[in-house]
Structures are given as structure tokens and as C-alpha cells.
Amino acid sequence: MAEEDDARIRILQSLRGKICEAKNLGPVSGPNRQRDLCTFCTISLDQEEVFRTKVFDKSVRFLPGAQVSSHSLKTNSPFYGEDFYFEIPRPFQCLSFYVYAKSVFQRDLPVGKVSIRKDDLCKYSGKENWFSLHPVDPNSEVQGKVHLEMRLNEVITENGSVGQHLSVRIIECQGLPLISGQNCDPYATVSLVGPARSDQKKTKVKKKTSNPHFEETFFFEVTRSSSYSKKSHFQVEEEDIEKLEIKVDLWNNENLAQDVFLGETRVPVKILQNDHIHKAWYLLQPKGNGSKSKSDDLGSLRLKLTYIEDTVLPSACYTPLCNLLLKSPDVKPISASAAHILGDICRERYEAVLPMVRLLLHHNRFVPFVSAVAALELDNTQEANTIFRGNSLATRCIDDMMKIVGKNYLAVTLKPVIDEICESNKTCEIDPIKLKEGDNVEVNKENLQGYVQKVFSSITQSSSSCPPLMCDVFRSLRHLACKRFPADPHVQYSAVSSFVFLRFFAVAVLSPHSFQLRSHHPDPEISRTLTLISKTIQTLGSWGSLSKKLSSFKETYMYDFFKSFQEDKCIEKVKKFLDEISSNVSKESSGLEDAVVLKEGEVQKRTQGKKRLGKKNFKKRWLKVTNRELTYHKHKGKEAICIINVKNIRAVEKLDESAFNRKNMFQVLHSEKPLYVQAGNCVEASEWLEVLGQVCRCNEGRLATFHPSTYSGGSWQCCKSLSSSAPGCTHCTTTMLANLQLDIDCDRETERIFSLLSSNDTKLQDMEDACASMAVYQGPQREQEEYSKFTIQEPKETFQTLKQLRNIMEELRRQHIVRNYTIAYGSLDNPIVGKTS
């Protein structure tokens, strides 16, 4: 049973951060330096690219035919401003950030890189850091690991003398890099290296695989003992063995070109002195530590990184903590609940509320909890015009809820007009100080007014698309605000507009990339246009602001611009919209769900119906999935070549690498022939599998089993069944049916809550002491200011909850210790970091 539990332990990894900017970028290597090279950044897990920024125009300038001076490099400081987040679906050793110079006529040229080993990521987590760029040397671009076995054997020669022979068995490799997007043709060289010798042997080439199985053994004569006797059996002269090492190099066979170095590892023979058999996994290392060039000349990169690794235990371990958190809405007063205590002790960490919000959403407990928290905040609010303006637990919870639940709502409402703004690139600057030479302020004002009208109309006409859960929250806020300030006619609207306009729509307009409305951070000019639109939308949507005089505007140009909207009955439109999303009246529905693009991107699709497994059978296509259909197109924006109704999808599963000798493959099984797709990288493949799995998980006729390989040569390559219609040989991925709208892993969220509570153990103790100091329990009376940082209405109830939390946390810690087995050094999951040359 213990083994069964351990098998269900999951290690889940994610990375969130921002590529901020570079400064003082150095000269690009290469013979053909152009005058205006543009730069971009990429992120790689080991050597697999998983993210790329947009190109920053003319960020690096080179004088034609001349060496770049240090003075001219001072302005080479591009601002990228790119946020990123992705789940990491596989083990990795190194996270790398590359800066490239974009070239029109040749391959993009590397400027430099920042490499951070996985074990060092925690040093930089949660804060911005400047990193020096280092040279990109082909001999340092390595990844993967190799499995070796070494034996030291006694050998009696023909003349009767005794010597030592070393056998080296190359078993297999895993995780070798792709070469030009394809699996490599690897082989290994094995050398016994010493002061006066270098014997080299070579394995056979393995075709089209990143995980080659070699299973080849090579023999080397090490030395002959000068004093052989029964007593000195298997001893090797110490001064000789100290100088010998086994060197294993991995190469990609290029046939007509020079072979490509994939990595090396070195194992000292002296490791066999105490144990004559050594078998272990080794990480492949760079050759010669790469280039010795000074990194100071290449510039630096400012990054913000947050790497999270969750060790998720079996579900039963989290039941007590989960139940205690889910009881929170029923606790009186709400400040004594476990969820409120979490928000109280983590108030400095904005992201701390997110796992709690996701957990409450999944179990349909969010609305009663946030209503109780909002009521508590309103009790402490003295003026109606300051309602929900602070960064409180209630506002943080509702902010996170809107981002999760309102994602599709934003896409339907804003994405079309945001795309138009970003792609048409009309000038909209109306600030006289910021106008460029030749700008016409009246034309700009007209452009801006047109955009604002489109955004405003899209929002105020979108009430039928507003998610029911958001409407439930807004309805509760409106009721609570009216109850708290019955004499104020505007408060029922400002309570809702302060969220839906100020914290939702206006923020999404300002930063569309943060809400997945655009793939990249907008250009500075577009960003300025979006800022002006966002300011106007905030004002139009704020009922409190509209009830005031226009003189409240700080900027004169905004005052003049906003006057043109007064005649358009904007206030009435806002009021009608707020009524529709927060009243008790049911919204009218057309009965048709809006088509929402869930994911799209370029992939390699295998031509269906082809028998040959050649490269030509794979074609680049633009794949797009909505909540209605899966389509692929020749190019983005072109008509669909194939349309698959998502209701007809029967399974979405991974495809073995051996099926087509390609990584990151998956298959869509539907009513016709399977659709085979290769994603650009492991992160993309994982996201496609997740999204497609979500949209089809409740379909009728879903398959229980599938074939992880292809049918070719008259049989299935995975199970050798002869019939093409044979049932699958592998169980399909299980899917959670509890929550169709929200993809929430409750065990993972509860583990994160446990981690947050554990890291704030001192504050929990302080809160207990504060309860005691309020004279409910024995102990010295403390001054009010010592515990005023906590919200304690009922010390006895709060203390009881804290005691329950501590008991549950102690048991969870014990469960982690029991299951926290140490992974052996040299195993597949914990390979040895060998020497480098």
C-alpha cells in the first residue's frame, strides 16, 4: 500500500517571470554586421526553446565595416517587458535566456546568454536581478545524460603475467537535443585518457532518436601490477590509476558535414579502487568549459523569475486542510476562519490568495466567502466614495476570481478591438508635450475617440456574456453596499464599477498581454494609445467619477477630450450595463455559446492517409481550437482546410517518439482518421494536450484505450496487433469531470496553501499570542498596537481555528517526511555531474 501511495506522489514544476530589459549589449559575432540589427530573447529548458519575445526594433546598431566603439554601444539597451508563465512538463537541468540579433539574410546571430542551473533558481525567486551575458559557444550548448557501467577485471596474459583490464559499457542516453528541429543521429566515442595515452573506441550510429540505446561494451588495458600476489589481488598501482579517466563524448553524425558535439562526461578510473563495479547516470557537460571570453563585453539582462516546485501527496493527505478551508464561509465571524487567517498572515504577498481562490471556486464556496469578507470590509469603511478602493483581502480575492473566471469573457469582448488597435497602429497622442513633429492633434483625438467608442460599446453591450459567477459576486456587492450606505444613490453602482471597470476591463486594455489577449507586450506607441484608452474607460465606467465635475481631471488635455463624451448618454449606458450584470433579473441568452479561441499556433501536421513515414508528409499548419471546433489552416488568418467539431473528438493523447522519430507529438482521435500533430516544444505540447483534453472530456463515446504508436506495415507498432481496428493497448488519460469551466488541481492548490502557512509559521504563532493577550486566555495583556496587524474579532474562535491549523500542518509535515525518500545520486532522476575538460 505504501508503494501505491508513493507512486501517486507528483512533482509539479512551473515558471513565472518577466524578461525586463538588456543594457550595453556587445557586438554580435559574425562576418556580416548590418547597420540596424534588431534583438529578441528566447527561453530554453536545457537546449529546447520554449518561449520567444517579439523583436525589439533597432536595439543594436553596428557601423558597416567597422569595429563597434564602446560609446556607440551605450544605447544598446532594449526594453522587452515580456511576461511569461508555463508549466514545466519534464525534468530539466538548466534554464537559459538567449539574446539574439535578428538578421534578414542569414541565421539569427547570438549576442549572449544567461544560464541558471535548476538548483540555483531558488536564489533568484520572486525578485528582479541583473545577469551578465556570457558567450554562446557551440561546445557549451549541451543537454542530456548518459548511462555507464565500468568494471575493473583481472586478466592473465599468454605469458602468465597478471594485468588489469577496464570494461566500459555504454548502455543508453536520454534527452539529447534536437538538431534543426529533428531527432539526432547520435553515436558515442569512449576514450581511456592518461598522461601518455588516449585510446579511443566508437559505438554504432543510432538513427533519428534523442534517447539512443547503445548497449555496447569496450575493453581497455589499464596497467599491469608490478607486485602481483594472492594478497594484492585486484590492486592497481595507485600512482597510475590516479592519472587515468574514462571520457565519453556524444556526437551527432552529419554524414557530409562536420559532426556536431552533443556533450561529454569524464569519470576517473580511481572510482573503482574500492568497488570494482560502477554503474551510474551522468549529466553531459560542455567541452572545455566553453569560451573563456570576458562576459563584461556582452552586456547584461534584467530578469524576474519565480520557480515553483510542488511535491503533491495523495489526495487523502489534504482532506483535513481542504475541509477546514471550505468551512470558512460558515464560520462566524469570518475573521476566525482558516481562509481569512491565510489572507491575514500573507497580506504582503499578493499571489498568496490565488490558491485559496481557486480551491473555493472549484468547490462552489467562493461567493459566500467573498460576500462575508466584503461585508467585514464595508463595516470598517466610513465613506461611500472610498468603497473597495484599497488592496484588501476582498479586493484581492475578487481580482483573482475575475482573471480566472473572466478569461473567455475578456476574449469575446475585447480581443477583436484590441487586435484592431495593435495592428492598425494609428497615432492617438493628445498630450501637447508628447506630440511628435508633424502630428495633427485633431486627427489623433479623432483616432482615440473612435477607439474609445469601440471599446466602450463592446463592454456596455457584453452583459449577456458576463459569466454567471461574476454576476453573482457583483449582485452580492451591490446588495451589501446599499445596506451599508442606504442614503447614497450611487454606491450600488460604484461598488460594481470599481471592480468590473477599474480592476478588470481597464487593466486588460492597459496590459492585454497579461490577460492573454495579445501574445507579446505592445510597442511603446501602441502602449501609450492603450494607456489613454484605459484612462478614459476608467472614468467612463466609474459612476462616482461621472457624478463629479470634469475639473477633477489632472491633465487639461484629458479634460478637453472627455467633454466630447458627455452628450452621448454614457452614464445611462454604464448604469444599464451595471444593472444587467448585478441585478436579480436573469440575463437573456441567445442559446448559442460564443466561440472563444482557447489556443492557436503553428504546428507540424502529418498529412492524413499517407503510407510513407517521410519528412515530406509533415507540413506546417496553423492549428486553432475554440470551444466549438478544432481547425487547421495553411497560414494564420486563412480559411480552414479541415474542421473537426470538438464534440466528435474521442481522445487526445501523446504519441510515442518512435512512431515518427519526432519529439512532442500528440494525436487527436475523432470520427475519421487520426490527426497527428507535432508541437514546437514540450511546453507547447503539454498545453495543447491540456486544452484539447478539457474541451472534449465530457463527450459521448470517449475512448477508454488508445494506441500510443501508429499502424504501419500491417500492424500496430506498439502492440503488434494485426487489425487496424483493434482496440487500444493503453488506457486513455483520466479526466476530471467535476468542473468544466475551471481547470483546477485541488491537491496542488492545497499543497501550495500548506507551503504558505508553513513559511509564515512565526506569524501564526504571533496571532495565537495576540489572541491570548486579549485576556481570553491566561497570559500578560499586550498593548493594542502589537496585534493590530491581525483581524481578531473573536479571540476564542480564532484561537480554535489556529489550533486546528497547527495540528493539520504537523500531520502534513509528517506525511512529507514519511514519503520524502532520497533519490540515489547517480540514478536517472539524480544523475552525477561529471568533470569537464
Side-chain angles (χ1 to χ4, degrees):
M1 191 68 183
E3 290 181 5
E4 204 172 291
D5 281 350
D6 285 341
R8 290 156 54 198
I9 293 175
R10 296 175 293 149
I11 308 296
L12 303 177
Q13 309 169 98
S14 64
L15 184 70
R16 180 187 302 277
K18 186 173 188 175
I19 301 176
C20 304
E21 61 179 317
K23 67 178 180 181
N24 302 326
L25 293 182
V28 174
S29 59
N32 300 318
R33 296 177 178 177
Q34 300 172 29
R35 181 177 182 82
D36 290 319
L37 285 178
C38 309
T39 65
F40 63 92
C41 289
T42 66
I43 303 176
S44 291
L45 292 173
D46 298 322
Q47 293 303 304
E48 182 180 15
E49 182 183 315
V50 296
F51 180 83
R52 178 178 291 216
T53 70
K54 67 189 295 185
V55 177
F56 187 90
D57 290 341
K58 299 181 181 179
S59 55
V60 181
R61 300 178 182 274
F62 298 94
L63 300 175
Q67 190 70 27
V68 182
S69 67
S70 59
H71 175 75
S72 64
L73 289 173
K74 288 182 180 178
T75 58
N76 299 335
S77 301
F79 178 80
Y80 300 108
E82 293 271 9
D83 296 296
F84 59 85
Y85 173 81
F86 51 84
E87 297 289 325
I88 301 175
R90 63 168 177 82
F92 72 102
Q93 280 80 47
C94 191
L95 178 71
S96 299
F97 296 81
Y98 293 82
V99 178
Y100 285 95
K102 187 72 177 172
S103 178
V104 179
F105 302 109
Q106 59 187 28
R107 293 180 62 181
D108 299 330
L109 304 173
V111 177
K113 72 173 182 179
V114 172
S115 291
I116 308 170
R117 296 198 68 82
K118 176 185 173 180
D119 295 340
D120 294 330
L121 283 171
C122 59
K123 299 177 184 177
Y124 311 106
S125 189
K127 50 191 175 184
E128 291 185 1
N129 293 276
W130 281 100
F131 296 88
S132 297
L133 290 172
H134 294 271
V136 178
D137 181 354
N139 287 332
S140 69
E141 303 298 290
V142 302
Q143 74 173 57
K145 43 198 167 187
V146 59
H147 197 191
L148 306 176
E149 182 184 79
M150 296 168 53
R151 292 173 180 262
L152 197 59
N153 304 302
E154 179 191 63
V155 177
I156 300 177
T157 63
E158 294 179 358
N159 61 9
S161 62
V162 178
Q164 301 293 329
H165 277 200
L166 176 67
S167 67
V168 181
R169 178 176 160 223
I170 308 294
I171 304 171
E172 63 179 312
C173 290
Q174 284 200 7
L176 297 181
L178 299 177
I179 303 295
S180 301
Q182 303 296 318
N183 283 333
C184 53
D185 294 335
Y187 69 89
T189 61
V190 185
S191 307
L192 179 61
V193 181
R197 62 188 296 179
S198 182
D199 304 332
Q200 187 179 90
K201 303 180 188 295
K202 176 182 173 183
T203 68
K204 294 177 182 177
V205 175
K206 299 295 180 180
K207 293 290 186 180
K208 302 298 178 188
T209 178
S210 297
N211 303 310
H213 287 259
F214 293 109
E215 285 294 351
E216 295 191 45
T217 303
F218 302 100
F219 298 92
F220 300 90
E221 183 178 352
V222 178
T223 186
R224 186 172 64 177
S225 177
S226 60
S227 57
Y228 173 73
S229 68
K230 296 283 185 182
K231 294 181 180 178
S232 61
H233 192 57
F234 278 120
Q235 290 182 357
V236 180
E237 292 181 4
E238 188 173 340
E239 66 275 14
D240 196 15
I241 198 171
E242 288 285 346
K243 302 173 183 176
L244 294 178
E245 62 182 9
I246 285 293
K247 176 170 169 280
V248 179
D249 292 279
L250 271 295
W251 299 86
N252 180 60
N253 182 46
E254 290 285 329
N255 291 325
L256 300 178
Q258 184 176 355
D259 292 350
V260 176
F261 176 74
L262 301 178
E264 70 169 36
T265 192
R266 292 171 175 252
V267 185
V269 177
K270 66 181 180 181
I271 202 171
L272 296 169
Q273 280 182 312
N274 297 322
D275 189 353
H276 296 291
I277 301 176
H278 174 71
K279 186 177 181 180
W281 283 90
Y282 280 83
L283 277 180
L284 294 175
Q285 298 292 301
K287 181 188 292 186
N289 293 317
S291 174
K292 302 290 195 259
S293 301
K294 289 184 178 180
S295 60
D296 295 344
D297 300 331
L298 301 178
S300 54
L301 191 63
R302 183 162 62 94
L303 305 170
K304 184 177 182 180
L305 305 173
T306 301
Y307 170 74
I308 297 176
E309 182 175 291
D310 298 311
T311 302
V312 183
L313 303 176
S315 294
C317 298
Y318 298 110
T319 301
L321 180 55
C322 185
N323 288 343
L324 184 63
L325 289 162
L326 295 178
K327 281 171 52 181
S328 295
D330 304 322
V331 175
K332 307 295 183 190
I334 191 66
S335 62
S337 69
H340 194 283
I341 288 171
L342 174 67
D344 224 11
I345 65 171
C346 299
R347 62 178 65 186
E348 293 87 7
R349 297 181 60 178
Y350 191 86
E351 75 281 1
V353 173
L354 181 59
M356 181 181 70
V357 169
R358 293 172 70 84
L359 191 68
L360 293 170
L361 283 172
H362 182 87
H363 292 279
N364 297 316
R365 300 290 284 158
F366 179 79
V367 176
F369 174 74
V370 83
S371 297
V373 173
L376 176 60
E377 180 175 337
L378 285 171
D379 287 344
N380 297 318
T381 303
Q382 303 305 316
E383 297 182 15
N385 62 355
T386 62
I387 191 170
F388 300 128
R389 291 301 172 97
N391 185 24
S392 64
L393 179 58
T395 58
R396 290 157 66 194
C397 286
I398 297 172
D399 282 355
D400 282 337
M401 177 277 295
M402 292 190 297
K403 288 179 182 177
I404 297 168
V405 177
K407 182 179 177 181
N408 291 345
Y409 179 34
L410 279 178
V412 170
T413 307
L414 289 184
K415 191 172 187 343
V417 65
I418 293 293
D419 286 343
E420 180 187 344
I421 293 167
C422 293
E423 290 163 13
S424 60
N425 203 15
K426 293 180 181 177
T427 303
C428 297
E429 185 56 72
I430 58 173
D431 184 352
I433 299 175
K434 297 183 179 180
L435 287 173
K436 297 179 182 177
E437 187 177 350
D439 279 353
N440 187 319
V441 69
E442 292 303 319
V443 172
N444 292 358
K445 188 181 294 185
E446 187 176 328
N447 291 338
L448 181 59
Q449 188 171 4
Y451 284 150
V452 170
Q453 289 285 11
K454 287 184 178 182
V455 172
F456 183 70
S457 297
S458 295
I459 293 171
T460 54
Q461 295 171 15
S462 70
S463 61
S464 63
S465 300
C466 186
L469 191 106
M470 288 176 63
C471 294
D472 291 343
V473 171
F474 296 151
R475 187 180 304 119
S476 177
L477 295 177
R478 179 174 181 164
H479 169 74
L480 291 168
C482 290
K483 184 178 177 181
R484 176 68 179 86
F485 299 102
D488 191 318
H490 300 303
V491 74
Q492 60 177 320
Y493 296 111
S494 60
V496 179
S497 67
S498 62
F499 287 103
V500 73
F501 277 101
L502 273 65
R503 294 174 177 266
F504 187 57
F505 283 121
V507 180
V509 170
L510 185 64
S511 303
H513 59 294
S514 300
F515 290 82
Q516 291 80 51
L517 298 177
R518 297 289 292 180
S519 57
H520 295 292
H521 185 80
D523 293 331
E525 190 169 333
I526 297 296
S527 185
R528 172 61 179 166
T529 297
L530 294 174
T531 300
L532 293 172
I533 296 171
S534 179
K535 277 186 176 183
T536 311
I537 291 300
Q538 285 185 54
T539 307
L540 289 172
S542 174
W543 179 259
S545 296
L546 289 172
S547 64
K548 296 177 182 179
K549 295 181 180 180
L550 289 176
S551 58
S552 60
F553 279 101
K554 294 180 180 178
E555 305 97 336
T556 305
Y557 64 89
M558 288 301 295
Y559 169 84
D560 294 335
F561 175 70
F562 192 77
K563 283 194 299 186
S564 60
F565 289 91
Q566 290 297 292
E567 300 173 0
D568 199 21
K569 297 184 178 179
C570 290
I571 294 177
E572 287 76 10
K573 289 183 179 181
V574 170
K575 181 179 176 181
K576 181 175 181 293
F577 170 68
L578 296 175
D579 281 336
E580 290 170 345
I581 64 172
S582 63
S583 66
N584 290 317
V585 181
S586 299
K587 298 179 296 180
E588 293 185 7
S589 174
S590 63
L592 292 175
E593 189 179 5
D594 292 316
V596 178
V597 177
L598 302 176
K599 184 172 176 62
E600 58 182 330
E602 188 175 79
V603 298
Q604 292 272 354
K605 180 200 73 71
R606 183 174 184 269
T607 305
Q608 299 184 57
K610 295 284 186 180
K611 294 182 178 179
R612 290 177 60 252
L613 302 183
K615 184 176 179 180
K616 293 181 180 178
N617 291 337
F618 282 86
K619 294 183 179 179
K620 285 185 179 181
R621 290 291 182 258
W622 189 263
L623 192 66
K624 179 166 73 173
V625 60
T626 70
N627 51 337
R628 294 180 183 174
E629 58 193 23
L630 173 67
T631 59
Y632 61 80
H633 315 247
K634 194 167 185 178
H635 301 289
K636 183 180 181 181
K638 298 292 183 182
E639 289 187 10
I641 299 173
C642 177
I643 301 175
I644 301 171
N645 192 313
V646 295
K647 293 182 179 180
N648 295 332
I649 297 177
R650 304 178 68 192
V652 183
E653 298 290 344
K654 291 181 180 179
L655 198 67
D656 284 350
E657 180 183 326
S658 59
F660 295 107
N661 288 321
R662 288 171 177 249
K663 284 187 172 183
N664 306 318
M665 291 284 298
F666 64 91
Q667 53 183 322
V668 180
L669 305 174
H670 57 111
S671 52
E672 299 179 16
K673 294 178 181 178
L675 176 64
Y676 298 122
V677 180
Q678 182 185 28
N681 55 62
C682 64
V683 171
E684 282 288 307
S686 178
E687 290 177 355
W688 278 114
L689 284 164
E690 183 66 34
V691 171
L692 289 168
Q694 291 296 322
V695 297
C696 72
R697 62 183 172 181
C698 285
N699 287 353
E700 294 182 3
R702 276 185 59 87
L703 296 176
T705 58
F706 75 103
H707 290 285
S709 192
T710 57
Y711 184 84
S712 62
S715 67
W716 287 99
Q717 298 306 298
C718 44
C719 59
K720 306 305 177 184
S721 295
L722 300 178
S723 172
S724 61
S725 58
C729 56
T730 304
H731 287 289
C732 286
T733 306
T734 55
T735 54
M736 295 172 58
L737 302 178
N739 197 319
L740 302 182
Q741 298 298 319
L742 307 173
D743 175 28
I744 294 173
D745 184 338
C746 290
D747 292 343
R748 187 180 193 179
E749 302 303 335
T750 313
E751 169 62 29
R752 287 188 174 175
I753 291 170
F754 166 66
S755 297
L756 286 164
L757 290 169
S758 297
S759 63
N760 286 275
D761 196 63
T762 303
K763 290 185 179 179
L764 288 173
Q765 183 61 56
D766 290 345
M767 202 170 192
E768 280 191 27
D769 294 343
C771 290
S773 71
M774 295 175 76
V776 175
Y777 300 97
Q778 291 182 354
Q781 182 73 37
R782 293 190 176 185
E783 294 300 322
Q784 176 75 23
E785 57 267 19
E786 290 195 35
Y787 56 81
S788 60
K789 56 186 176 182
F790 303 119
T791 305
I792 303 174
Q793 295 172 287
E794 291 289 342
K796 185 175 181 179
E797 290 292 334
T798 305
F799 186 87
Q800 290 298 327
T801 304
L802 287 166
K803 187 176 179 181
Q804 287 179 280
L805 273 174
R806 283 197 171 280
N807 291 337
I808 290 170
M809 288 167 62
E810 189 60 36
E811 176 59 21
L812 263 175
R813 288 192 189 101
R814 191 187 70 80
Q815 293 285 353
H816 271 282
I817 293 170
V818 168
R819 291 172 167 82
N820 186 24
Y821 58 92
T822 303
I823 302 173
Y825 191 46
S827 64
L828 175 61
D829 295 325
N830 189 18
I832 297 171
V833 180
K835 292 173 60 182
T836 57
S837 54

